[in-house]
Each structure stands twice: as structure tokens, then as C-alpha cells.
């Protein structure tokens, strides 16, 4: 028996059940009696989900990321931990890597520690085929995923509109006369696929034919992208601009272009993604799409707090990105 069963049997919202369990008031006596009758009939007792609503809470939230040494994830975890601390909650961090078994093990471990909720940082936690382990965990505690989307009860998705952001960046390049645009990516995750879709959409909007050889997959490293861009040049692929799915890829591209004696942005314009510290650390500095990691992580924590308070919370929230122009491309 969980809060959803109670709400369904009583014919009320989850938020109403939450307010009654938390003794928040603002509920008609007749409604309260109906809910309490359902609870009594089914022998419901506060469990891990109830703790997440404030009953016997240990004031701790589990945070999962694949690799905290990654610049993007490090920033995200820092923002989340700080926001939780300001609200009186501790963060219990697990770095899982990318293997599904390790991700499942981390979630299981967090639940055994009786955390009040779990935040998943990144679409790496959204599996392509089977997310039943997330659905099962959400029966115990609220789950928030950043840059991913689930459709289970008690799961909340907060992500940047990355597809539109990349499409817009491609459009800005086309407007400046760039028609031959390479796209480099490293992942086919939920986020990675949306970015790549944005590349194709940007071309489509400007009636530019997409070409398979202009989409290059690399490892997430400077050297891999440097080698990829040098290979493209040596293969006589004609291009005047490059869009990358991550800043780290774009830095590799800058290195490769320099090694081949090409001027940036005069010969080739380059746009990265994430607007990380790398963007200001390169020479020339890197124009990058800002996917608002601070806002995403802050909203993730605020969403949980609203869930804990029994408020009606949107299951999906989208945030718009922006382009931060620097020396590698400027309109």
C-alpha cells in the first residue's frame, strides 16, 4: 500500500493525502476522514515514502552521477549539495560509472540507507529499453532526474531544451554564411540524442541537406576529437563550422584546427556545449551553448522540497538554453 493507492481509493489527489499525513491542514474534515478511513481499512503505516513527506525523515537526499571528475557533473553535484545544505538536508553521493548493474546497486544502497529522495544527475540514468528499477525505486521515494525524462508516478523530470538550443546554434551559423557544418558527439543518451536531433533540425529549417559523413562520433576526450577533426581535414571534407555536443569535444577540435594551421573563426567557426570553465580557458575562447546547469540543479532541489511539503508539482519542467558568444564564433 502506498500513497498512490490511498489517493486512488479515497478519490483525492496525492497532494491531499500528503497534507493529511503531514497534518498541514487546508483539508475538509470530510475529506480527511475519508482518507483516514482508507488508511485504516488497508492497514497503511508510514514507510520510506512517508519519510520523504516529512514523517521520520533523516534529512538526507541521495545523489547519483556517473563520474564526479567530469567538469559538468562536478558543477552539478556542487550546486545540488549546496542547495540541499541550505535547506537543512545532507547529500549522499554515489558515482556509479556507466554500467547498469552499478547504477542499480547504487540506488539499492541509497534506499537501504533510508534517504528521503534520490536525484539522478544526467540522462546516463535513463536506459534505452528498461527503466523498471527506477519505477520500483519511485514506489519508495521521490525520484528527480536532471536532463532525462521518466513517466512513472513519483518521478520528476527537469531538463534543458537542448534540441532547440542546437538547432538555434546551427541557424546562427547558417545566417553568418556557414553551410557546411560538422557535428561531433560522444553519446547517444537521452540528452545526446536530443542534441543530435537539434543539429538535423537546424539544417532542415534552412533547407540544407544532412550528410552522414558530417556527423562524427568521438570518445569524450581532447585527443579523440583532435584526431577526428584532423582526419576530416585530411579526408578533404569541406566544412567551415563545427558544432560539438560537449565543450571537451570542442577543445579537441580547436587543437586539431590549430595543428592544421586553420584560423578560428575566420577559416572555421566552433561552438561547444555546456558553457563550462573550459570555454573561457581556451585560446581563442570558446563560444558555447549554456544549458543552465545551475538552474536545473536548483530546480531539482526545489521540486523535492515542494514534494516533501505536499504541494502539487509538475512532473516535467523544461528550461531554455542560450548561446554564450566568445572568440570562436560571434554574430
Amino acid at each position: 500500500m502506498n500513497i498512490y493507492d490511498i489517493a486512488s481509493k479515497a478519490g483525492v489527489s496525492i497532494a491531499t493525502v500528503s497534507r493529511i499525513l503531514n497534518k498541514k491542514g487546508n483539508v475538509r474534515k470530510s475529506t480527511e476522514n475519508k482518507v483516514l478511513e482508507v488508511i485504516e481499512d488497508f492497514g497503511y503505516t508510514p514507510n520510506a515514502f512517508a519519510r520523504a513527506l516529512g514523517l521520520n525523515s533523516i534529512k538526507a537526499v541521495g545523489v547519483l552521477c556517473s563520474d564526479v571528475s567530469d567538469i559538468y557533473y562536478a558543477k552539478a553535484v556542487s550546486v545540488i549539495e549546496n542547495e540541499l545544505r541550505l535547506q537543512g538536508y545532507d547529500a549522499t553521493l554515489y558515482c556509479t560509472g556507466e554500467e547498469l548493474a552499478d547504477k542499480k546497486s547504487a540506488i539499492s544502497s541509497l534506499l537501504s540507507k533510508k534517504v528521503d529522495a534520490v536525484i539522478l544527475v544526467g540522462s546516463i540514468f535513463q536506459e534505452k529499453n528498461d527503466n523498471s528499477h527506477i519505477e520500483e525505486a519511485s514506489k519508495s521515494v521521490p525520484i528527480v532526474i536532471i536532463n532525462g525524462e521518466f513517466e512513472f508516478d513519483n518521478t520528476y523530470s527537469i531538463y534543458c531544451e537542448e534540441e532547440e538550443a542546437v538547432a538555434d546554434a546551427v541557424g546562427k551559423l547558417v545566417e553568418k554564411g556557414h553551410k557546411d557544418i560538422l557535428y561531433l558527439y560522444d553519446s547517444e543518451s537521452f540528452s545526446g540524442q536530443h542534441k543530435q536531433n537539434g543539429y538535423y533540425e537546424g539544417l532542415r529549417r534552412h533547407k540544407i541537406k544532412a550528410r552522414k559523413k558530417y556527423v562524427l562520433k568521438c570518445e569524450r576526450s581532447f585527443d579523440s576529437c583532435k584526431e577526428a577533426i584532423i582526419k576530416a581535414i585530411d579526408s578533404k571534407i569541406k566544412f567551415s563550422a563545427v558544432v560539438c555536443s560537449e565543450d571537451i569535444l570542442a577543445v579537441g577540435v580547436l587543437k586539431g584546427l590549430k595543428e592544421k594551421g586553420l584560423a578560428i573563426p575566420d577559416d572555421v567557426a566552433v561552438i561547444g556545449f555546456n558553457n563550462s570553465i573550459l570555454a573561457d580557458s581556451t585560446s581563442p575562447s570558446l563560444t558555447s551553448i549554456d544549458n543552465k546547469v545551475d538552474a536545473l540543479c536548483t530546480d531539482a532541489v526545489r521540486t523535492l522540497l515542494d514534494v516533501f511539503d505536499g504541494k502539487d508539482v509538475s512532473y516535467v519542467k523544461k528550461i531554455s538554453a542560450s548561446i554564450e558568444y566568445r572568440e570562436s564564433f560571434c554574430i
Side-chain angles (χ1 to χ4, degrees):
M1 187 71 173
N2 59 41
I3 194 170
Y4 297 101
D5 299 323
I6 296 170
S8 176
K9 293 291 184 182
V12 299
S13 71
I14 296 168
T16 296
V17 177
S18 171
R19 284 194 291 271
I20 294 169
L21 290 173
N22 277 303
K23 303 185 185 302
K24 294 284 187 179
N26 297 321
V27 179
R28 291 181 180 178
K29 190 64 178 177
S30 58
T31 301
E32 180 179 359
N33 289 338
K34 189 193 315 183
V35 170
L36 292 176
E37 184 178 335
V38 170
I39 291 174
E40 183 177 353
D41 286 346
F42 285 87
Y44 174 82
T45 57
N47 59 7
F49 190 98
R51 278 194 299 276
L53 297 174
L55 300 174
N56 303 319
S57 167
I58 66 168
K59 304 290 283 187
V61 172
V63 180
L64 297 188
C65 79
S66 60
D67 183 1
V68 78
S69 68
D70 180 277
I71 291 175
Y72 176 81
Y73 293 130
K75 177 66 178 296
V77 169
S78 175
V79 174
I80 291 169
E81 192 277 335
N82 185 62
E83 287 294 321
L84 287 172
R85 186 174 64 253
L86 289 174
Q87 300 299 329
Y89 284 82
D90 291 327
T92 302
L93 174 66
Y94 277 68
C95 295
T96 66
E98 298 185 4
E99 294 298 322
L100 178 58
D102 294 330
K103 289 184 277 188
K104 287 182 176 181
S105 176
I107 291 176
S108 177
S109 180
L110 285 173
L111 295 181
S112 72
K113 295 180 185 296
K114 310 302 183 184
V115 295
D116 297 322
V118 174
I119 297 176
L120 308 174
V121 183
S123 60
I124 190 69
F125 293 100
Q126 182 172 347
E127 310 301 329
K128 289 184 177 180
N129 299 316
D130 183 10
N131 288 285
S132 58
H133 61 294
I134 300 295
E135 182 177 20
E136 187 63 28
S138 71
K139 295 175 182 178
S140 298
V141 298
I143 306 286
V144 175
I145 185 169
I146 296 172
N147 267 351
E149 184 174 6
F150 295 123
E151 296 182 351
F152 309 131
D153 287 336
N154 205 30
T155 63
Y156 304 87
S157 306
I158 301 174
Y159 59 89
C160 177
E161 295 182 294
E162 296 177 332
E163 182 171 331
E164 180 59 32
V166 176
D168 182 52
V170 170
K172 292 292 192 294
L173 288 167
V174 174
E175 290 168 9
K176 294 291 286 186
H178 299 284
K179 301 296 175 64
D180 300 309
I181 305 169
L182 291 185
Y183 181 73
L184 271 67
Y185 72 102
D186 69 314
S187 170
E188 295 176 346
S189 64
F190 174 90
S191 174
Q193 192 59 60
H194 275 248
K195 293 174 189 177
Q196 189 170 151
N197 290 345
Y199 167 74
Y200 289 121
E201 174 62 17
L203 296 179
R204 187 196 64 77
R205 290 177 185 176
H206 293 84
K207 297 179 172 57
I208 297 174
K209 182 179 179 180
R211 290 163 286 186
K212 186 175 181 180
K213 67 180 180 179
Y214 277 63
V215 178
L216 309 175
K217 186 173 184 179
C218 310
E219 294 180 6
R220 195 185 184 93
S221 70
F222 299 135
D223 290 342
S224 176
C225 295
K226 176 183 173 181
E227 292 170 5
I229 205 68
I230 289 176
K231 182 178 180 180
I233 295 169
D234 291 344
S235 299
K236 307 301 181 183
I237 296 177
K238 178 186 174 184
F239 64 94
S240 65
V242 183
V243 176
C244 298
S245 66
E246 304 285 341
D247 283 347
I248 190 171
L249 308 190
V251 173
V253 168
L254 294 179
K255 289 177 176 290
L257 293 173
K258 283 187 174 182
E259 185 168 311
K260 298 300 288 187
L262 295 173
I264 307 163
D266 294 339
D267 294 327
V268 181
V270 181
I271 299 178
F273 201 105
N274 282 341
N275 195 35
S276 68
I277 190 173
L278 292 175
D280 278 319
S281 304
T282 60
S283 181
S285 57
L286 177 65
T287 293
S288 183
I289 297 170
D290 185 355
N291 65 343
K292 311 296 183 181
V293 61
D294 292 69
L296 290 170
C297 295
T298 299
D299 279 354
V301 174
R302 290 175 179 171
T303 293
L304 281 182
L305 294 175
D306 286 344
V307 172
F308 293 164
D309 285 341
K311 297 178 181 177
D312 291 321
V313 179
S314 173
Y315 287 108
V316 178
K317 182 172 183 180
K318 302 176 185 179
I319 294 176
S320 298
S322 64
I323 301 176
E324 294 298 318
Y325 293 98
R326 297 184 179 88
E327 294 170 335
S328 69
F329 172 67
C330 190
I331 59 175

